[in-house]
Amino acid sequence: MPPSRMAAYLALVGTLGFASIALALIATPWSTTTAEILVWPSLFLAVAAIAGEVKPLVVSSRGGVRTLSTSAPFVLALVAVAGVGVAVLVQAIASLADDMLHRRAWKKSLFNTAQYAVSVFTARAVFAWLAGVPLFGGPATVEPRDIAPLLAAGLAMIVVNWLLVAGVVSLSTEQSLRSVLRADVRDFLLTNVVLLSVGGIAAVVAADGIGALALLGAPVIAAHLFASAVARHTHDATHDSLTGLGNRGQVDYELSRALEAARRLKTAGPGLVLLDLDHFKDFNDTLGHPVGDQILREVADRLVDAVPEGTYVHRTGGDEFAVVVNGGLSASRRVALDLLSSFDWPVPVESLELLVRASLGVAIAPEHGSDGETLMKNADIALYHAKIERDMISIYSPEFDVNTVERLQLLADLRTAIEEKALYVAYQPQVDLDSGRTVGVEALVRWDHPLRGSIGPDEFIPLAENSGLIYPLTAFVLDTALGQLSRWRASGHDLRMAVNLSARHLSDPVLPDLVAGTAAIHGVPLSALVLEVTETGILADATRTDVVIRALRERGVAISIDDYGTGNASLGYLQRLEIDELKIDRSFVSDIGTDGQDLIIVQSTIKLALALGLRVVAEGVEDERTTETLREFGGVIGQGYHLGRPVAPKQIEARLQAERRAAAGPSERA
């Protein structure tokens, strides 16, 4: 297999660099050098070069903030004052010291050392040619006439260094070399020309001793302070203060550069990945904003660790992050999967371990947009689709546009309907199959849209769950249902009221107090309330669910497992949670008259549940044959269209009155 272009390039630069080091060290007349070198001035320049490398200048540019080594002027002075051997050796030591300090990979360190060696060797070659001195000559005194050749040598040194580094960036980002060089050419050259002027002066005054060289410290320090101040202002304007990540403006800038490079090179991409934390508002509302900020910082660190080298994570606002991927669909999908995997383990916050989840939307140029604004819009649409459909990662599709507009409008209408109490609650009877008496009802929210007519709960409940509207929606249903139950109980009807809970409620420590407060307002005992939760809701965050469920049961509320059999729970696990009721899913119950396997499953489940002391409700009772079969099992409560459809409160009242008259007998009715 042939080597990659990157590997070949690194090998070439490495070979040239270490050949330059070897040649400089071998060909330098060390006996003459050690005898004639200006020891203290050369030592001062060497220390200044090493310090300038490990403590670089921080400068700002359009792409953000970067560092610039200030070793160049002092190495340049050594090129003329001490010779190429000393200059190459000092630059190599400075480079290795900086790499060790920042714990860079050994391959990167070798490349840095090599490219610096080539640059310094080139500088000596240019100076020797223009000043008419030997290439491997020893120490020399620099005259004013030598400043122009020395500055030309310095310019050659920084240009060679710049080109070699730009080559790596070009190969790693798949941008053209011209594009990489053009990005900040003006600022780069201006800054380096100023520094090289310092190097020329240092070379001239070196013969006057270390005192004269020390005077150059002031302009170098001033340059540091000025550049640092500018960099801080630039960083504040382009980065998020909480996480340190780039902000929305940085995303736009990076995306425009990537789009330009892809068009020029005729390559796929770039891709834009948007990530949004699921239900982050719950953490802020329940645990407070300081904890929410801590979660965001931890998430930001994980996302940065998850992306490939050279790829940057940005926080675009709130709990939303963005990543520009240099590549097409496969590269963007791979980055999205890596980002998602960073949420596999809990986020530690104080004494808690919080499960944080995220949804991601992906858009790829040019298929999903040829400009940054369109890509951002379509990635946002894909993100919204991922949240609604619970896909976690969603790749943009044109069909999402229509669906998204409709869903957004529906979401707005649902918010208005909740605020104006335009929804209503229907009640489906739950019948004791042994006695035929209605012992409970399930509260089911319904919505008659003024334009679209009846909208099924399967359509608007997921919208509420993924938008945060599930909390006011559940509060409305709970308040309405308990208010109605209070009126029925005042009429002498002893019923249980079942209300469905979203999985999100099970992680809400405020829920028990909300339920108790609503029941107290209507004067309903909590023992008359049954809260239905799903298996997946319980298993999603078992630790927090245990706490909430136990708090509810301590107040007297009964807990029912809805749709049992469709998830992963076991009767043993449910018993450890001290569940009160089990609702067998309709997918098993409705076919027990014709499917022998379903019959065995339902019969076995009922026997085990009753033996564990759980109340059993069978959903999906759609005919008399199913009713009779379940009645034979004994102790089963049935729910389904055959026993009663969801109806208005008046119809439930009429049913209860009829059952009361039937139970009274002819003599009592008379």
Side-chain angles (χ1 to χ4, degrees), residues 321-441:
F321 300 84
V323 177
V324 178
V325 181
N326 288 307
L329 179 59
S330 60
S332 299
R333 183 184 285 118
R334 185 167 58 252
V335 168
L337 288 170
D338 290 341
L339 291 171
L340 191 62
S341 67
S342 68
F343 295 91
D344 285 348
W345 62 96
V347 174
V349 178
E350 297 176 354
S351 60
L352 301 174
E353 287 194 343
L354 305 175
L355 288 173
V356 182
R357 294 289 182 257
S359 299
L360 296 92
V362 182
I364 312 296
E367 298 94 323
H368 306 150
S370 56
D371 59 85
E373 183 178 353
T374 304
L375 272 181
M376 185 66 73
K377 182 195 75 170
N378 290 339
D380 200 41
I381 290 173
L383 172 62
Y384 178 80
H385 183 270
K387 280 188 169 291
I388 294 298
E389 302 298 330
R390 302 182 184 180
D391 289 339
M392 293 187 289
I393 297 176
S394 181
I395 309 297
Y396 172 77
S397 172
E399 67 185 35
F400 294 169
D401 281 343
V402 176
N403 293 340
T404 298
V405 172
E406 290 180 353
R407 285 177 181 268
L408 286 174
Q409 184 59 57
L410 193 62
L411 185 61
D413 294 344
L414 177 59
R415 188 184 303 276
T416 301
I418 294 173
E419 292 173 352
E420 298 179 354
K421 299 187 183 302
L423 305 171
Y424 68 94
V425 178
Y427 303 90
Q428 186 171 26
Q430 295 179 336
V431 179
D432 184 329
L433 299 183
D434 290 336
S435 66
R437 185 172 63 90
T438 301
V439 294
V441 293

Side-chain angles (χ1 to χ4, degrees), residues 79 177 193 333 402 423 564 641:
V79 164
L177 184 62
V193 166
R333 183 184 285 118
V402 176
L423 305 171
Y564 182 76
Y641 283 2

Side-chain angles (χ1 to χ4, degrees), residues 110-177:
L110 289 178
F111 173 79
N112 289 339
T113 303
Q115 58 95 2
Y116 274 131
V118 173
S119 303
V120 174
F121 196 90
T122 301
R124 177 65 188 193
V126 171
F127 178 70
W129 172 48
L130 294 177
V133 298
L135 175 60
F136 298 105
T141 300
V142 177
E143 303 293 339
R145 66 175 180 272
D146 298 322
I147 291 181
L150 187 60
L151 290 179
L155 188 61
M157 180 174 69
I158 64 170
V159 168
V160 169
N161 174 267
W162 189 26
L163 288 171
L164 293 176
V165 174
V168 172
V169 175
S170 174
L171 291 172
S172 62
T173 62
E174 297 183 352
Q175 299 181 63
S176 70
L177 184 62

